[in-house]
Amino acid sequence: MTRLRSLDIPTAPRHGAGQSLPLKVGTRGSPLALWQTRHFLSIISRFCPVLRDAKAFDEHVISTEGDRVQDRRLADIGGKGLFAKEIHEALLDGQVDFAVHSLKDLETELPPGIVLACLLRREDPRDAIVLGPVCGAPDRRDPLACIPHGALVGTASVRRQSQLLHLRPDLRCEIIRGNIQTRLGRVRNGDFAASFLAIAGLKRMGLEREAGIVLDPETVVPAAGQGIVGVTVRARDTELHELLSAIEDREARVVATAERALLGALDGSCRTPIGAHARLGTDGVVRLTGLVARADGSYLLRHTAEGPSADAARLGRALGERLRREAPADILA
């Protein structure tokens, strides 16, 4: 087998001491997860053509508990990380060499021995609402008005639920799980009047036209890391880490650092509605919006802070701590 250290790659860092080709990449098996993995591999292959020519990558689909259990909220079966636990284990056991994730599915603190080596350019981070046949045409001035009074909306996210019910307390929410295609089908079939999806996933699947409403991130604050693909490696694989770092998107790292620092400061679980959305301006200033709420929408707290990109982590922690101080004790208990 080819050893990575033997490859002569003048356009890329030398990498992967002692690792054999093909490199094994871990991924979930959903259509979106596979698209994200193949998109990442296309980027690294363009950056390092010798890897493409050597057929250097081998996909390994890993079933996670979050994929297997479809009838309950993530909070009820163990919380954040259920789309990554088995992938982490495969990485630490040497079954795969690196893994591709939706960043919003990763814990704020990764298991010892695993690092977040690379973040790809962020896709649109906004939330979208898919509208069923009972809904009217959306109005830009009041986009949620097209959902009938008292209608049933599908979501497995308490963050989305809390913000929707804060804006429309007449609506009802029930759990909807499954991949994008499954959720779209249930709305078309009338199981739900409408459902939330990330516009990033719809775009990646070529289904952007299915979004009846795309919500302003200051109105419905997205999840931390939404729209960003992250790649994890073993901490000891320093040369592979170096190769992956070379294709990282700097802006994605800055905004993800701010958002994940806010999440870490709040130490929230999947039962806690938390939103975080950062934007990096051309002047190098990060503008971060954070949100905490009650799941029933009866209370919502939102604040925004700004700071230089070099201080993204500090900015996120400070805003998270402010939200923690000001929120009622029951929200983050």
Side-chain angles (χ1 to χ4, degrees), residues 33-48:
L34 292 171
W35 186 97
Q36 291 176 163
T37 298
R38 292 162 188 171
H39 176 63
F40 159 72
L41 293 178
S42 73
I43 293 173
I44 197 169
S45 295
R46 289 197 302 270
F47 174 76
C48 189

Side-chain angles (χ1 to χ4, degrees), residues 64-139:
T64 71
E65 187 173 2
D67 294 310
R68 293 189 296 270
V69 180
Q70 295 291 320
D71 60 347
R72 286 174 283 166
R73 293 187 188 276
L74 295 178
D76 298 330
I77 57 174
K80 202 163 182 65
L82 286 172
F83 289 117
K85 179 176 178 289
E86 289 87 351
I87 298 176
H88 293 330
E89 291 170 351
L91 187 57
L92 290 172
D93 290 347
Q95 298 173 46
V96 297
D97 297 300
F98 53 91
V100 180
H101 311 263
S102 292
L103 185 62
K104 70 177 182 178
D105 292 335
L106 285 181
E107 314 94 315
T108 310
E109 291 190 20
L110 295 175
I114 293 177
V115 294
L116 189 57
C118 173
L119 298 176
L120 303 187
R121 183 182 65 84
R122 185 175 221 166
E123 182 51 272
D124 191 332
R126 294 177 294 173
D127 280 314
I129 298 181
V130 176
L131 301 173
V134 298
C135 297
D139 184 335

Side-chain angles (χ1 to χ4, degrees), residues 44-59:
I44 197 169
S45 295
R46 289 197 302 270
F47 174 76
C48 189
V50 71
L51 293 177
R52 179 191 63 227
D53 297 341
K55 295 181 171 51
F57 303 109
D58 185 15
E59 289 177 10

Side-chain angles (χ1 to χ4, degrees), residues 3-323:
R3 308 295 284 186
L4 278 176
R5 66 164 69 224
S6 68
L7 297 176
D8 182 17
I9 308 171
T11 58
R14 296 184 64 82
H15 52 285
Q19 288 173 299
S20 301
L21 297 181
L23 292 171
K24 299 179 290 294
V25 52
T27 177
R28 293 167 58 203
S30 72
L32 178 58
L34 292 171
W35 186 97
Q36 291 176 163
T37 298
R38 292 162 188 171
H39 176 63
F40 159 72
L41 293 178
S42 73
I43 293 173
I44 197 169
S45 295
R46 289 197 302 270
F47 174 76
C48 189
V50 71
L51 293 177
R52 179 191 63 227
D53 297 341
K55 295 181 171 51
F57 303 109
D58 185 15
E59 289 177 10
H60 281 242
V61 173
I62 298 169
S63 174
T64 71
E65 187 173 2
D67 294 310
R68 293 189 296 270
V69 180
Q70 295 291 320
D71 60 347
R72 286 174 283 166
R73 293 187 188 276
L74 295 178
D76 298 330
I77 57 174
K80 202 163 182 65
L82 286 172
F83 289 117
K85 179 176 178 289
E86 289 87 351
I87 298 176
H88 293 330
E89 291 170 351
L91 187 57
L92 290 172
D93 290 347
Q95 298 173 46
V96 297
D97 297 300
F98 53 91
V100 180
H101 311 263
S102 292
L103 185 62
K104 70 177 182 178
D105 292 335
L106 285 181
E107 314 94 315
T108 310
E109 291 190 20
L110 295 175
I114 293 177
V115 294
L116 189 57
C118 173
L119 298 176
L120 303 187
R121 183 182 65 84
R122 185 175 221 166
E123 182 51 272
D124 191 332
R126 294 177 294 173
D127 280 314
I129 298 181
V130 176
L131 301 173
V134 298
C135 297
D139 184 335
R140 280 189 173 184
R141 293 166 298 181
D142 187 6
L144 296 179
C146 65
I147 304 175
H149 184 88
L152 182 64
V153 177
T155 179
S157 163
V158 291
R159 173 189 59 82
R160 289 166 172 163
Q161 172 183 303
S162 66
Q163 295 183 81
L164 178 67
L165 295 180
H166 185 75
L167 295 167
R168 285 284 307 273
D170 61 288
L171 296 177
R172 298 172 295 129
C173 290
E174 284 189 6
I175 297 171
I176 184 172
R177 295 282 310 280
N179 62 36
I180 290 173
Q181 291 79 3
T182 298
R183 298 188 195 196
L184 291 175
R186 295 196 67 186
V187 173
R188 290 193 193 104
N189 292 339
D191 296 342
F192 297 91
S195 180
F196 279 96
L197 286 166
I199 190 65
L202 290 172
K203 286 185 173 182
R204 287 166 175 158
M205 292 284 94
L207 295 169
E208 184 179 1
R209 66 186 180 279
E210 300 286 351
I213 304 169
V214 181
L215 297 158
D216 186 287
E218 299 301 308
T219 301
V220 173
V221 183
Q226 186 156 297
I228 300 176
V229 173
V231 184
T232 54
V233 299
R234 289 179 289 272
R236 67 176 183 270
D237 292 339
T238 55
E239 294 187 25
L240 182 55
H241 188 175
E242 182 184 358
L243 171 65
L244 297 175
S245 297
I247 65 169
E248 177 165 85
D249 184 86
R250 174 184 172 273
E251 182 173 344
R253 177 64 72 168
V254 170
V255 297
T257 296
E259 292 169 7
R260 285 169 65 81
L262 181 146
L263 194 62
L266 289 169
D267 193 28
S269 71
C270 280
R271 289 187 173 87
T272 308
I274 297 173
H277 176 242
R279 289 173 291 176
L280 179 62
T282 55
D283 56 359
V285 172
V286 178
R287 186 174 189 270
L288 174 64
T289 298
L291 170 141
V292 293
R294 287 196 180 103
D296 64 3
S298 62
Y299 178 86
L300 186 148
L301 177 65
R302 181 191 292 111
H303 284 307
T304 298
E306 295 183 350
S309 59
D311 290 339
R314 181 200 58 78
L315 178 70
R317 286 193 299 271
L319 186 55
E321 289 164 1
R322 178 182 178 186
L323 290 167

